[in-house]
Amino acid sequence: FHLEAEIPGVKLADLELTLKGRDFVLAGERKRSEGEAPAHSERAYGRFERRLRLPEDVETEQVSASLENGVLRVSLPKAARARARRIEIQA
């Protein structure tokens, strides 16, 4: 499975990813920058959390994530027992 989330303005230190069984949680906080407040802003600030129930088990030790240009990409490889397997037919 591959997940992508657009989270501009969120620092790596303010993100937390957890996986327990099939439950995946993306949590974090978008903080206002110090200094002058903009006259107008359409960006939400504060804590956020997204929970997803994955349809199949994943290999937890092989999960990887990267954050680049405000886009979080998470790769969750399916567990070996969850992958499709071709079955040979005996004649």
Side-chain angles (χ1 to χ4, degrees), residues 30-35 37-38 41 43-46:
R30 181 177 289 122
K31 299 176 182 175
R32 288 192 186 271
S33 59
E34 298 291 324
S41 176
R43 185 175 285 175
Y45 294 93

Side-chain angles (χ1 to χ4, degrees), residues 9-53:
V10 177
K11 296 178 182 174
L12 184 61
D14 296 327
L15 282 176
E16 182 179 334
L17 303 178
T18 56
L19 179 64
K20 183 177 181 183
R22 291 185 182 176
D23 296 323
F24 176 81
V25 179
L26 161 63
E29 184 174 6
R30 181 177 289 122
K31 299 176 182 175
R32 288 192 186 271
S33 59
E34 298 291 324
E36 289 186 33
H40 177 76
S41 176
E42 294 189 8
R43 185 175 285 175
Y45 294 93
R47 295 232 9 110
F48 61 88
E49 181 177 295
R50 299 294 183 268
R51 293 179 173 270
L52 299 170
R53 178 79 173 162

